[in-house]
Amino acid sequence: MSDHDQELTPEEVVPAGGEPSPQQHFRSRFGGLSGTVAPIVTTIIAFLMGGLVVLFTGKNPWKVYKAVFKGTGLNWFFHVGNHHARIPFSTHKMWFPWDTASVAAGNLQQTLLLTTPIILTALALAFAFRCGLFNIGGQGQYTAGVIFAVWLGSSFVHMNPFLHVVLCLIAGTLAGAVWAGIAGILKATVGAHEVISTIMLNWIAYWVGSYLFGEGGPLQGSQASIPISNDIADGAKLPVFWGIALLQGLSIGIFIAIGMLVVYWIVINRTTLGFEVRAVGFNPEAARYGGISVARNYFLAMAISGAFAGLAGALDITGWEYRIGENDIQASQIGFIGLAAALLGRNTALGVGVASLLFGALINGTSGRQLDPSIFRPDLAGNLTTIIQGLVILFVGLNLGGLGVWLKKRRKPA
Amino acid sequence: MTAIAARVGGIRWTDPKTIGIGGIAVGALAFWLALPPLASRTAVLPILLGILAIAAGIWTWSREEHRVGGGAVAAGVLGIVFGVLATRSSEAHLDTVVVWSALLAATLRYATPLTFAAIGGLFCERSGVINVALEGMLLTGAFFGIWGAIWAHGWAPGWEWVIGLITASLAGMVMAAVHAFWAIHLKVDQIISGTAINFLALGITGYIFIDKYGDTGTPGNVADYGIPDVHIHFLSNWYFVGPIIGQLNLMIWLSFVLLIATYIFVFHTPYGLRLRSVGEHPRAADTVGISVYKVRYTAVIASGAIAAMGGAYLSLGFVHSFNENMTSGTGFIGLAALVFGKWRPFPTWCATLLFGFSSALSDRLPNAYGNQWGTLFNALPYVLTIVAVAGVIGRSIGPAAAGRPYEKQ
């Protein structure tokens, strides 16, 4: 979407016939989703409004945000000094400008661990967006990935470690793809609205997960009264390259996620598939006229999008969670955080990466584990995060150009 | 001669539609026979009746009545599956789970918040604005309802629940107004703004809840001044009926009133016609002088108030307390019921009853069969809705202009 698209007058947006063409419909849906200034302004507005909320509770927003920032571990980058770091997967040490064992480093590991699945669920949203589809089911696809990764990870205990972890990741990815593919097939064949079907699939995954890992469920662990699965085998765990595995060190999952950002960029911008997906997204009618199968692309876009979200679930399990409980399935919001990150990142690879880091940091910084309770209650801060997230989604979809048009019309006497 | 024979009692007995509806009834009968009080112990009966229902369904389907025919086939299959399952499980278990009067009363209790949410959604979506924010509006109503009642407890004895309902609907209207402004004037994608409302509701209610009641939770005496039950004394001793409707919460009766009022309003008044025309073809409505924006604003804000009342019932009339994210999907089941009922009041209400029944059943299943089956049962409404949008039992298609912002000319 170029800047030119933004300058359409309202008369062009909806033709005189009343029914906007699919292309114009698409633009009215996603027209506000380009540019870099608006996301930054959005973020600032959301944080300012969040600060107001903090102020209402009689706390100093500046202090709270400072404590949150400290909890994110992002301050680690500012403490440059003369340190030594162990080279990952070896016993050798080398000079390094940052202290890899400080408290801030530990916090940063947590932030990056959270960023990993957010990047992938955001990519899931972004890929479907590019095809003109709204995949609101990232949460359900994530859960599908989690279920299969836990199931296979805790099953074949004596398998070759490398094969085992790869199996878990692939199974999780496929599970997500199949889960989203259901919505894709329904959209492609009978035209069922993907928003409705993915919302329903989210809740089906929620209850199936609760059933599987709940008390008496088939995947519940060996302790009868605790609704948590067994741990996955050691061979199914991703190697941890920074920090200690027992204390949730950073696994190589973050590199897989970053790799997927690159894959996303290449697929969207440099392949026939990406071209067709974008063509369908811009204008399904024109794409059909040009010989592109719209139904096939709807299905593929949903399945690929679900694959990203499923991989997110598998990476969480193999990277640091190692087991899953009924409560974790029910409390997880990763899919919806991905939604916010995709919208804020304008569906571009770089934007998604940056936005995911922002949300990962925000969630980690306000978590009970990181935030100093003497400054701000972590359970309040968690809700503050949800408010900020809502505000970001609210303002980021805002076509700032549209606001301008509306204000101009207001000033003109009718 | 056949024509006369076929019309005994004013019903055309050989009409495909009649046969199909009969098939659905036979399918339900197949399951019912295996349950108390009859509790037939042989699996032959449900299988026979189920096959009969499926046959009727196929015959109906072949006569181009796809919706009823598909329904009869589905009813037959479900009748066989559940009927055989019921004959296999012990009679004692069945007796614990299937207490019809208690089940039906629980069905009404569970269906009421769904009805409010779905009717709210009906107004909103009939006007052409998609509302995935029902969950958030319900949650807002749940919190601000109980907050208002607790606040009024000091100075308005006896009227707490009224004030609670008012604060709930006001809060729901504020949320809906944001959704309306974003969807109608700013022309933001309605699903994006709806999702944002859901998050805002979750965050705001959670934040104020922790800030105000965080350490102790909402006061324990809310039950004393919550929404009252309606006691119908002469009914309460009647066989079967008494235990079901002898003592229902006021909001359940209100939901019946709301349902009928909605039906009359939407389908039998000029205002309802305007509402529907704005949702189907806004340009045409605009041409004949209907203000599209005004109708849509009114409908969306009304939907917020109605959905919030459902939330207030949850907190003030049902559980008498509030917890973070206490609705946990109720609003989405309401949305599912709306889709399942094809955006029409009575079918939607039937869907909420069906979903309420599955919730009631999943509540009672653990007594006999262990926790996990009850949990899995909770997924049923969503599965059925997927089946409905997939078009197996007649396709669900929403208002034509839903989701499309309208641009005045």
Side-chain angles (χ1 to χ4, degrees), chain B residues 24-324:
Chain B
I24 295 175
V26 171
L29 187 70
F31 181 35
W32 184 76
L33 280 182
L35 296 179
L38 291 181
S40 140
R41 301 313 297 165
T42 156
V44 179
L45 217 53
I47 291 178
L48 268 182
L49 288 175
I51 289 174
L52 200 64
I54 293 172
I58 292 171
W59 187 83
T60 313
W61 184 287
S62 70
R63 300 298 186 277
E64 298 298 320
E65 281 287 347
H66 292 236
R67 234 175 87 204
V68 184
V73 172
V77 172
L78 289 179
I80 292 180
V81 171
F82 286 114
V84 170
L85 279 181
T87 53
R88 286 296 171 85
S89 56
S90 81
E91 223 164 313
H93 277 181
L94 281 180
D95 281 330
T96 1
V97 173
V98 188
V99 181
W100 282 109
S101 51
L103 258 183
L104 291 180
T107 299
L108 286 176
R109 275 200 296 277
Y110 280 110
T112 301
L114 303 181
T115 310
F116 277 100
I119 297 282
L122 189 142
F123 278 101
C124 192
E125 302 214 342
R126 278 285 181 175
S127 80
V129 179
I130 293 181
N131 195 348
V132 292
L134 286 172
E135 172 82 6
M137 293 171 183
L138 215 62
L139 188 62
T140 310
F143 177 74
F144 284 97
I146 203 163
W147 175 82
I150 294 168
W151 170 59
H153 188 48
W155 51 270
W159 292 90
E160 291 96 338
W161 61 273
V162 180
I163 290 168
L165 278 181
I166 293 170
T167 50
S169 14
L170 284 179
M173 283 159 85
V174 171
M175 282 290 175
V178 174
H179 183 48
F181 184 62
W182 251 250
I184 299 166
H185 259 117
L186 302 182
K187 300 179 178 44
V188 170
D189 181 63
Q190 295 165 5
I191 291 154
I192 294 182
S193 69
T195 311
I197 298 289
N198 281 340
F199 273 111
L200 283 179
L202 185 62
I204 290 171
T205 56
Y207 192 94
I208 307 179
F209 172 72
I210 298 275
D211 196 41
K212 278 191 85 74
Y213 312 109
D215 297 320
T216 53
T218 45
N221 63 346
V222 172
D224 302 336
Y225 51 86
I227 301 170
D229 288 349
V230 178
H231 295 268
I232 307 176
H233 291 293
F234 71 93
L235 259 179
S236 52
N237 289 327
W238 286 20
Y239 172 72
F240 196 66
V241 184
I244 301 175
I245 59 170
Q247 187 188 346
L248 285 181
N249 195 274
L250 179 70
M251 291 301 276
I252 300 180
W253 292 107
L254 270 184
S255 77
F256 299 156
V257 175
L258 176 73
L259 177 75
I260 295 165
T262 303
Y263 172 73
I264 295 172
F265 179 86
V266 173
F267 291 100
H268 293 282
T269 65
Y271 302 107
L273 184 63
R274 282 176 208 169
L275 177 77
R276 285 181 290 139
S277 63
V278 163
E280 295 293 340
H281 203 312
R283 178 72 70 217
D286 199 6
T287 312
V288 296
I290 299 167
S291 167
V292 175
Y293 283 11
K294 208 166 122 191
V295 171
R296 285 192 174 173
Y297 266 106
T298 319
V300 176
I301 292 174
S303 105
I306 295 171
M309 298 243 257
Y313 163 73
L314 264 183
S315 65
L316 264 184
F318 195 1
V319 291
H320 301 297
S321 66
F322 181 87
N323 261 314
E324 280 184 82

Side-chain angles (χ1 to χ4, degrees), chain A residues 127-140:
Chain A
F127 199 89
F129 268 133
R130 285 296 179 92
C131 195
L133 297 168
F134 202 136
N135 174 16
I136 203 169
Q139 186 62 48

Side-chain angles (χ1 to χ4, degrees), chain A residues 10-11 13-20 25 28-30 33 53-54 57 129 134 136 182 186 190-193 195-197 199-201 203-204 206-208 210-211 215-217 326 333 336-337 339 343 376-377 379-381 383-384 386-387 389-391 393-395 397-399 402-403 406 409-410, chain B residues 125 130 132 135 178 181-182 185-189 191-193 195-200 202-208 210-211 214-215 280-283 324-325 328-330 332 335-336 339 343 371-373 375-376 378-379 381-383 385-386 389-391 395 400-409:
Chain A
E11 280 74 21
V13 172
V14 178
E19 291 283 299
H25 175 216
S28 70
R29 254 181 126 170
F30 304 115
L33 305 184
V53 175
V54 174
T57 9
F129 268 133
F134 202 136
I136 203 169
I182 297 174
L186 290 180
V190 297
H193 201 308
V195 169
I196 301 285
S197 41
I199 287 179
M200 299 304 140
L201 287 169
W203 285 97
I204 296 172
Y206 174 101
W207 287 114
V208 169
S210 307
Y211 158 74
E215 265 183 65
E326 190 183 355
Q333 292 273 9
F336 294 103
I337 298 160
L339 173 90
L343 291 173
F376 200 58
R377 286 181 65 151
D379 43 2
L380 272 185
N383 282 308
L384 182 67
T386 314
I387 294 178
Q389 209 179 316
L391 289 171
I393 300 176
L394 198 61
F395 285 107
L398 198 61
N399 189 340
L403 188 67
W406 180 65
K409 270 185 162 179
R410 278 276 115 150
Chain B
E125 302 214 342
I130 293 181
V132 292
E135 172 82 6
V178 174
F181 184 62
W182 251 250
H185 259 117
L186 302 182
K187 300 179 178 44
V188 170
D189 181 63
I191 291 154
I192 294 182
S193 69
T195 311
I197 298 289
N198 281 340
F199 273 111
L200 283 179
L202 185 62
I204 290 171
T205 56
Y207 192 94
I208 307 179
I210 298 275
D211 196 41
D215 297 320
E280 295 293 340
H281 203 312
R283 178 72 70 217
E324 280 184 82
N325 196 15
S328 64
T330 313
F332 285 113
L335 181 67
V339 176
W343 290 267
N371 261 328
Q372 70 275 37
W373 290 109
T375 308
L376 198 55
N378 283 311
Y382 308 111
V383 175
T385 306
I386 291 253
V389 292
R395 279 201 39 215
R404 297 181 174 190
Y406 179 69
E407 189 70 55
K408 261 191 277 197
Q409 280 189 327

